[in-house]
Amino acid sequence: MSVARKKVVFILPALTAGGSERVMASFANSIDRQLYDPFFIALKDGPIRDWIDDDIPLHILDQKYFVSAFFSLIRTLKTIRPNVVISSIVHVNVITIFAKFFLPHFKLILRESSLPSAMIKGYGWKSPLCHFAYKFLYPKADLLICPSKQILNQFQDDLNVTVKKSVIIYNPVNVKNIRGRIKQKEKSDVLKLITVGRLTFEKGYYQLVEALAEHNIHKAWKLKIIGEGKERPKLENLIKKHNLQEHISLLGHQDDPWSIVSQSDIFLLTSLWEGMPNAALEALASGTPVFALGSAGGIVEVSNMTDENSVRLFDDLESLITSINRFEISANNNSLLPAIFEKHSVRQQFHAALEELE
């Protein structure tokens, strides 16, 4: 007699290219189809539909406002009748928690991808709402998934938030896919710098450009920035202001960024805050060492799992650029990523978490 598969719904705000979106798509795609029947819900459509396997039903709510999205979500969940619902990103987590009040029969997993302290202090008028959500709504979840110890510690120690269960599950990296797309690095006399991420304030690109203008790199160099976002006009103007057009290129969104990253010498992570930086993990998988500010969250944990030639941490951009000047260009691009982040390892962690809910 076969056992009925449990229905697991994954919820995101939009199908846009980002770390949380990539992680949730990976969780859904890798789930054991013999045990679970996955579904995907997004409040808005976006360019990453093809990240989600074709056999997973995809529901786009396409609602502009919070209230209408909430009731549309309720209707969709009533139709699916899930056993487990997993949501990520704080505002979607909030409406999913409220949905559980109307549909109490599913187990709720929340995944928090950001540092609570950053959301509380640096999210403008939404900051007190985030604090309220973390403190009084997140404890309603059956399980809290955090991609770094730092995030979990802030919930437990700084906010004194108690959830029924909590677990650290690192972001999965499809090393096989990345390694299959890259070629052996071509050695060059030009130092090739790279960074990947949305062009938003918290990524620290504005400060990076200012630092590169102020502190000279004493060799030929190029910086490529992959990603799109609202900071693009500001960055373009700043690059022109400092006459860095020959050095810095904004490449926009790239479907296959890792073939570019793998040909680079250093990946720069200059975020003002991060949870667990997916782009840095994938850079390591492509064989590109990471130079990061210590403020960039989970990269500190990654550095403790690697040697100093794989991840180097800095207190400020001036010391980071000083170290760039001492960097020896290498043609090596073997994977530098610790095995615990590889897709199959994270899949086991995720399934163990699902089983503990039963």
Side-chain angles (χ1 to χ4, degrees), residues 150-181:
Q150 187 179 17
I151 293 176
L152 182 58
N153 288 344
Q154 287 193 2
F155 274 115
Q156 294 178 337
D157 300 336
D158 300 344
L159 294 173
N160 196 28
V161 170
T162 301
V163 180
K164 293 177 185 177
K165 293 181 181 178
S166 56
V167 64
I168 296 169
I169 300 180
Y170 290 125
N171 295 353
V173 179
N174 192 336
V175 176
K176 182 178 179 181
N177 181 56
I178 291 173
R179 301 299 303 175
R181 292 170 178 260

Side-chain angles (χ1 to χ4, degrees), residues 22-270:
R22 189 177 294 277
V23 169
M24 290 286 277
S26 180
F27 282 171
N29 293 342
S30 66
I31 201 167
D32 188 341
R33 304 297 203 274
Q34 293 184 336
L35 300 175
Y36 303 102
D37 193 8
F39 298 78
F40 218 102
I41 298 176
L43 274 59
K44 296 180 182 178
D45 207 346
I48 63 164
R49 276 175 168 259
D50 60 347
W51 287 7
I52 300 166
D53 285 352
D54 292 338
D55 70 318
I56 300 177
L58 174 59
H59 300 265
I60 306 296
L61 304 186
D62 199 23
Q63 298 293 328
K64 185 177 181 181
Y65 298 105
F66 185 93
V67 173
S68 58
F70 173 71
F71 286 108
S72 183
L73 177 63
I74 291 286
R75 289 192 296 270
T76 305
L77 290 175
K78 279 185 176 179
T79 300
I80 298 173
R81 299 176 63 85
N83 302 98
V84 180
V85 174
I86 305 171
S87 71
S88 185
I89 303 182
V90 62
H91 61 288
V92 177
N93 288 348
V94 168
I95 69 170
T96 307
I97 292 166
F98 281 116
K100 187 169 171 60
F101 289 126
F102 290 83
L103 304 166
H105 300 299
F106 63 76
K107 297 286 188 178
L108 176 58
I109 299 175
L110 301 181
R111 179 181 176 274
E112 181 51 61
S113 59
S114 300
L115 287 173
S117 61
M119 302 300 288
I120 291 171
K121 297 176 183 177
Y123 210 37
W125 63 270
K126 297 178 183 178
S127 291
L129 299 179
C130 290
H131 185 267
F132 176 84
Y134 293 147
K135 190 74 176 174
F136 300 105
L137 297 181
Y138 273 45
K140 306 296 182 184
D142 297 287
L143 175 67
L144 174 65
I145 293 177
C146 298
S148 74
K149 294 177 184 177
Q150 187 179 17
I151 293 176
L152 182 58
N153 288 344
Q154 287 193 2
F155 274 115
Q156 294 178 337
D157 300 336
D158 300 344
L159 294 173
N160 196 28
V161 170
T162 301
V163 180
K164 293 177 185 177
K165 293 181 181 178
S166 56
V167 64
I168 296 169
I169 300 180
Y170 290 125
N171 295 353
V173 179
N174 192 336
V175 176
K176 182 178 179 181
N177 181 56
I178 291 173
R179 301 299 303 175
R181 292 170 178 260
I182 66 177
K183 298 178 181 179
Q184 182 62 38
K185 186 181 296 181
E186 298 176 3
K187 192 165 183 179
S188 169
D189 292 332
V190 177
L191 180 66
K192 292 171 286 188
L193 309 174
I194 190 81
T195 188
V196 179
R198 288 177 178 153
L199 306 186
T200 52
F201 168 76
E202 66 270 17
K203 296 301 182 182
Y205 296 147
Y206 191 84
Q207 292 87 341
L208 173 60
V209 174
E210 290 280 15
L212 289 169
E214 182 178 353
H215 306 289
N216 291 328
I217 295 179
H218 306 307
K219 59 184 75 176
W221 63 278
K222 300 280 187 181
L223 168 63
K224 294 178 180 179
I225 301 177
I226 296 176
E228 278 295 351
K230 60 185 178 181
E231 291 278 297
R232 174 181 272 274
K234 186 176 181 180
L235 284 169
E236 289 175 336
N237 290 335
L238 187 64
I239 291 166
K240 290 178 183 177
K241 173 185 173 183
H242 293 298
N243 295 314
L244 291 173
Q245 298 95 317
E246 296 299 316
H247 290 283
I248 303 177
S249 303
L250 302 180
L251 302 187
H253 173 75
Q254 298 288 319
D255 291 331
D256 179 21
W258 308 116
S259 59
I260 303 173
V261 172
S262 65
Q263 294 300 314
S264 303
D265 300 302
I266 302 174
F267 183 95
L268 301 180
L269 182 64
T270 59

